[in-house]
Amino acid sequence: MTAPQEPLDPVPTPESGEAVSAAQDELAALRAELEAAQATIQAQQDQILRTAAEAENVRRRSQEDVTKARKFGIESFAESLVPVKDSLEAALAQPEQTVETLREGVEMTLKQLAAAFERNQLADIDPAQGDKFDPHQHQAISSVPAPQPANTVVQVLQKGYAIADRTLRPALVIVSAGQG
């Protein structure tokens, strides 16, 4: 004899009805949590995409700014030099000049050039005799026995120049080797 089979779908009892209702409520709560989590994920993914796009825009704008700075960085200096060129051309265009008028014109042009240098923070490096040798601003061509202390400037052969605090061209100097 075979054992009686249990029915596949048990007949709901009042207790099992409450269990089904609780399971359905729990399932609905889990679905709501899942939907909320998916919405949060979608919002975060959108935020990540927006942030990445903004970072790319900032990078591109920065790159354009650097390109413009390189291209137009000397614009102020160039504008300062245009009057100097105009003065030199005007001097050459004058026929029959005396040495005195030519000298006056050159001196005025030199003042214009010095003003352009000053406006653009281009300064002379012109050490005085006896100044301490500075390898960041001076280039020693030779050293000679001299009464000054060793490693001091004896003579300036050519002035140097600096832009702001950066040496553009060092001054060419002869330094003292000390008492010979």
Side-chain angles (χ1 to χ4, degrees):
M1 295 208 180
T2 60
Q5 287 188 330
E6 291 184 31
L8 294 175
D9 290 326
V11 177
T13 61
E15 291 173 356
S16 67
E18 289 173 9
V20 168
S21 177
Q24 287 175 343
D25 289 346
E26 188 176 330
L27 184 59
L30 288 174
R31 280 194 179 127
E33 281 184 44
L34 177 61
E35 288 173 6
Q38 287 174 335
T40 300
I41 290 170
Q42 184 62 43
Q44 289 175 346
Q45 286 175 336
D46 288 347
Q47 184 63 34
I48 289 170
L49 288 175
R50 284 190 181 96
T51 302
E54 180 62 24
E56 179 61 24
N57 288 338
V58 167
R59 186 197 61 76
R60 185 182 43 77
R61 282 191 300 266
S62 297
Q63 203 169 35
E64 288 172 2
D65 290 346
V66 166
T67 301
K68 286 179 184 177
R70 284 186 184 138
K71 188 174 183 179
F72 300 112
I74 63 166
E75 184 175 8
S76 172
F77 188 59
E79 286 174 351
S80 298
L81 292 180
V82 169
V84 174
K85 184 176 188 276
D86 292 342
S87 294
L88 291 170
E89 288 173 345
L92 291 174
Q94 295 295 321
E96 310 272 337
Q97 292 187 54
T98 65
V99 173
E100 294 158 1
T101 58
L102 185 60
R103 181 171 181 81
E104 286 176 18
V106 169
E107 286 174 354
M108 288 176 28
T109 303
L110 184 58
K111 285 180 185 176
Q112 285 179 319
L113 186 60
F117 279 15
E118 187 176 324
R119 269 193 307 276
N120 291 282
Q121 299 180 346
L122 184 59
D124 292 350
I125 300 174
D126 191 12
Q129 188 176 16
D131 284 356
K132 183 162 178 53
F133 175 75
D134 180 355
H136 300 291
Q137 293 186 340
H138 311 141
Q139 182 176 346
I141 299 301
S142 66
S143 63
V144 295
Q148 290 104 338
N151 293 324
T152 57
V153 175
V154 173
Q155 182 182 358
V156 177
L157 301 174
Q158 183 180 56
K159 286 195 283 186
Y161 293 93
I163 295 177
D165 293 331
R166 185 176 180 183
T167 300
L168 180 63
R169 180 181 82 188
L172 300 180
V173 297
I174 296 174
V175 295
S176 171
Q179 296 288 336

